[in-house]
Amino acid sequence: MDNRSIGMFDSGVGGLTVLKEVKKELPQENIIYLGDTKRFPYGSKSKESIIQLTQKGMDFLISQDVKAIVIACGTATSQALEEMQKRYRIPIMGIIDSTVQYIKKKENLRKVGVIATAGTIRSNGWEKKLKKEIPEIEVKSKACPLLAPMAEEGWISNEVAKLTIKEYLKDMKNVDALILGCTHYPLFEPLIKEELGDTVEIIHTGKLVSKQLKEMLLEQKEEGESFSANTQIYLTDRETNFIQVASRMLENTEIEKQIKEIQI
Ligand code: DGL
């Protein structure tokens, strides 16, 4: 048993869609979440910049004595995870592997769509891992650069969001499953479901990451047993819509008390 916190990292509010699933799956775990809101968006940055920024995030979380880290960011997972796993001894996981293993077990999912930031799609991170594990799979990828900034604005259900989702998904109607390859995208899940109907399985990476995390902690006998588990959120810039969006997402009107600004 280990009551140290789990570290979670994203460029903004998106990673909270993973945090929400981790709290459901592991309610007795303390969590420290870092949102690099000062440098959002990551999706349009170079791989070199993503590696540098992700390393700063890892260094901060490790300075808080976390026992493991979830990179709750598709852009950082696809471009910096392997480098972080080489540089640090602490267990670090991203959002791609658990989804690839899930699809591998589902023989009815062999034509999948992936929507993600421009950086993630450019890295080909999803397609490379999917084809390595499932050679026969057909992957259709689409960069959706407007969605994460819209989510940060809280524009997740208005007319702009509806039209943007319709435009981005117009070629995704005949896939077996659609992977939400950016952690901001589950915020649009109702609109995506409406657009694609019931024939397309929508894959929320956070649900699968939380199960992978639970398995890892149990295997290493590092699960926490905090009966008053705490969530501490650090932002590199408080002056954003983060508080409003997070309060709605986590259904917590007191969230502001759990947020501190840091300089890294
Ligand atoms: N939420 C992040 C992701 O999953 C990044 C969005 C961004 O910063 O562009 O890719």
Side-chain angles (χ1 to χ4, degrees), residues 24-256:
K24 277 186 216 167
E25 192 72 38
L26 296 160
Q28 295 175 1
E29 294 291 346
N30 294 302
I31 295 173
I32 294 176
Y33 181 96
L34 171 60
D36 189 11
T37 44
K38 188 175 187 176
R39 301 175 189 95
F40 174 90
Y42 277 17
S44 51
K45 291 180 169 66
S46 68
K47 177 172 181 175
E48 294 67 30
S49 299
I50 298 298
I51 289 173
Q52 275 174 15
L53 294 173
T54 305
Q55 182 172 329
K56 281 180 187 283
M58 298 303 101
D59 288 342
F60 171 75
L61 288 171
I62 290 169
S63 75
Q64 302 302 305
D65 192 27
V66 295
K67 62 186 172 184
I69 294 176
V70 175
I71 295 183
C73 171
T75 306
T77 299
S78 59
Q79 300 179 83
L81 176 64
E82 283 177 19
E83 190 56 34
M84 297 303 113
Q85 289 172 331
K86 282 182 203 154
R87 292 187 192 183
Y88 298 96
R89 292 183 45 233
I90 187 172
I92 302 177
M93 65 177 64
I95 69 163
I96 294 178
D97 289 341
S98 48
T99 289
V100 171
Q101 292 308 316
Y102 169 80
I103 292 173
K104 186 174 180 179
K105 293 178 190 135
K106 293 260 189 166
E107 291 186 9
N108 62 317
L109 304 182
R110 287 297 175 261
K111 189 173 180 183
V112 298
V114 180
I115 53 173
T117 64
T120 299
I121 299 301
R122 183 187 62 230
S123 76
N124 223 10
W126 280 99
E127 186 154 355
K128 273 188 278 190
K129 294 236 170 169
L130 283 164
K131 286 203 183 273
K132 181 169 176 244
E133 292 295 322
I134 317 161
E136 72 275 18
I137 197 165
E138 189 184 332
V139 181
K140 191 185 271 190
S141 301
K142 174 77 179 168
C144 303
L146 297 179
L147 291 185
M150 283 165 56
E152 292 283 327
E153 281 296 307
W155 288 14
I156 56 175
S157 58
N158 64 16
E159 286 310 305
V160 175
K162 286 176 187 164
L163 287 172
T164 307
I165 289 290
K166 185 177 280 298
E167 180 60 28
Y168 277 147
L169 297 185
K170 65 187 178 188
D171 297 330
M172 288 287 181
K173 309 279 188 186
N174 60 349
V175 296
D176 302 319
L178 180 71
I179 299 169
L180 304 185
C182 167
T183 54
H184 281 74
Y185 295 3
L187 291 166
F188 299 96
E189 196 162 351
L191 291 186
I192 293 170
K193 260 195 178 54
E194 196 180 308
E195 185 59 26
L196 296 181
D198 297 333
T199 58
V200 178
E201 180 177 343
I202 296 171
I203 298 179
H204 179 332
T205 59
K207 295 179 191 293
L208 299 167
V209 169
S210 57
K211 290 181 179 4
Q212 180 191 16
L213 179 61
K214 183 173 188 175
E215 281 166 24
M216 188 272 286
L217 291 173
L218 289 171
E219 258 167 42
Q220 301 194 1
K221 298 190 179 4
E222 286 191 339
E223 66 276 21
E225 287 178 2
S226 300
F227 293 96
S228 56
N230 179 49
T231 297
Q232 176 62 55
I233 296 174
Y234 292 100
L235 300 180
T236 52
D237 178 0
R238 263 182 89 91
E239 292 315 308
T240 64
N241 293 312
F242 186 100
I243 293 169
Q244 291 88 325
V245 179
S247 174
R248 205 167 51 234
M249 272 174 69
L250 301 177
E251 293 153 16
N252 175 350
T253 54
E254 304 281 298
I255 193 83
E256 194 159 357

